[in-house]
Amino acid sequence: MKSLFRSFAIAFSMYSKIPMPQFTWEKEDMKYSIVFFPFIGAVLFAVIGGIRCLGAILDMGSIPTGLFMMAAIVLVTGGIHVDGYMDCSDAFSSYADREKKLEILKDPHIGAFAVIRVLALSAVYLASIAIILDKEILSDVSLFFSGEASIILGFGFILSRALSGISVVSFPCAKSEGTLYSFAEGADKKRCLSILVKEALVVSIAMILVGGICGVCAVCAALLVFAYYKYKTGRELGGITGDAAGWFLCLAETAIAVAICAYVLLGGFLGV
């Protein structure tokens, strides 16, 4: 039990800014830490739901509410995944060889492509969630998420992290060093993979049960990005890195938001 709590604390210490007890990380404590990664998504679900509820109470409007949601995501996670997205944007845009791309990922400085792409991704994400909020009845604040689309959006934080965890214990690592390598090598891969797949299945089923076709669209969007993530990192980096895992997470959550937005718009257009 103590080891499981330590695994939980390690996952939250590494992938969030939520205060956790401090202790020396032992190899035994890291065996199951990755399976708690999706739990951070559950925290984001609750935080984003609270902001949505507050936005409805105060009649803030969809864009300010969306901006507060995005700020909350960065505050809870510490921006670690956005950092990975920006680093990968520079590396993939360099069109250099594999070794040079891995060097770029280690460079603490950011380039023009990192800024351009993170701004573009943020614009797409904000536009998508603003449309989702606009199309829902924001005055109904009896629950954190009163609309099906917002519930699916919240579940997306859990699904993206479950898929990311699956990649950590099943995809090859590009380097034999770094934080992700430590998590991958320290994990009980077989058991962690089994647990993470079950977590992904449960949340996917929940998304489909809540949203029907909308949920199917969101799940399919995440899975398509997951497949692209495996292909892209394998071809250009020879495997995954911590930065690549963050790149995937940002893309997956944006793809989920875009898929929900597309369904909402199409449903409104067809009168569904």
Side-chain angles (χ1 to χ4, degrees):
M1 193 69 179
K2 182 179 178 181
S3 179
L4 283 178
F5 174 76
R6 283 173 171 257
S7 294
F8 175 89
I10 288 172
F12 272 71
S13 296
M14 184 62 212
Y15 296 112
S16 81
K17 285 297 183 180
I18 300 171
M20 286 286 139
Q22 299 299 306
F23 54 88
T24 302
W25 293 7
E26 303 292 344
K27 187 174 181 179
E28 184 68 21
D29 300 327
M30 300 183 70
K31 286 179 68 175
Y32 301 107
S33 59
I34 196 65
V35 303
F36 292 106
F37 186 29
F39 286 47
I40 299 172
V43 172
L44 287 172
F45 189 130
V47 171
I48 297 307
I51 293 172
R52 182 201 185 285
C53 183
L54 185 63
I57 292 172
L58 300 179
D59 193 23
M60 290 193 300
S62 59
I63 292 180
T65 302
L67 286 170
F68 280 123
M69 286 180 173
M70 293 173 66
I73 293 169
V74 173
L75 289 174
V76 171
T77 63
I80 184 172
H81 310 302
V82 178
D83 175 72
Y85 178 81
M86 295 179 74
D87 287 341
C88 283
S89 294
D90 278 334
F92 292 150
S93 300
S94 69
Y95 297 100
D97 58 32
R98 182 176 299 174
E99 289 70 24
K100 180 62 177 177
K101 287 174 183 173
L102 291 173
E103 286 181 21
I104 292 172
L105 292 179
K106 293 169 63 176
D107 191 338
H109 303 93
I110 62 171
F113 284 107
V115 176
I116 292 167
R117 293 197 179 189
V118 79
L119 287 175
L121 191 78
S122 299
V124 171
Y125 189 77
L126 176 60
S128 297
I129 58 178
I131 290 170
I132 292 168
L133 293 174
D134 268 338
K135 295 297 181 180
E136 289 184 341
I137 304 173
L138 296 178
S139 60
D140 181 1
V141 294
S142 57
L143 297 172
F144 275 156
F145 285 127
S146 58
E148 293 175 358
S150 288
I151 295 175
I152 299 168
L153 184 69
F155 276 134
F157 295 116
I158 304 174
L159 178 59
S160 62
R161 282 161 178 76
L163 293 174
S164 181
I166 289 171
S167 76
V168 171
V169 296
S170 62
F171 291 2
C173 291
K175 302 182 295 182
S176 57
E177 59 181 359
T179 303
L180 183 133
Y181 179 79
S182 298
F183 269 81
E185 290 304 303
D188 183 335
K189 292 187 178 181
K190 188 174 181 179
R191 289 188 178 181
C192 286
L193 179 60
S194 176
I195 294 169
L196 286 161
V197 167
K198 290 173 183 174
E199 290 174 341
L201 282 173
V202 168
V203 74
S204 295
I205 291 170
M207 292 167 76
I208 294 168
L209 289 176
V210 169
I213 297 176
C214 183
V216 171
C217 291
V219 171
C220 287
L223 292 176
L224 285 172
V225 174
F226 186 66
Y228 177 66
Y229 164 47
K230 188 178 191 314
Y231 166 76
K232 181 79 169 176
T233 55
R235 188 186 68 167
E236 301 207 20
L237 302 176
I240 62 171
T241 66
D243 286 326
W247 174 81
F248 159 71
L249 207 68
C250 292
L251 281 182
E253 291 174 0
T254 302
I256 289 170
V258 169
I260 298 169
C261 173
Y263 178 84
V264 167
L265 288 174
L266 185 61
F269 178 74
L270 297 177
V272 177

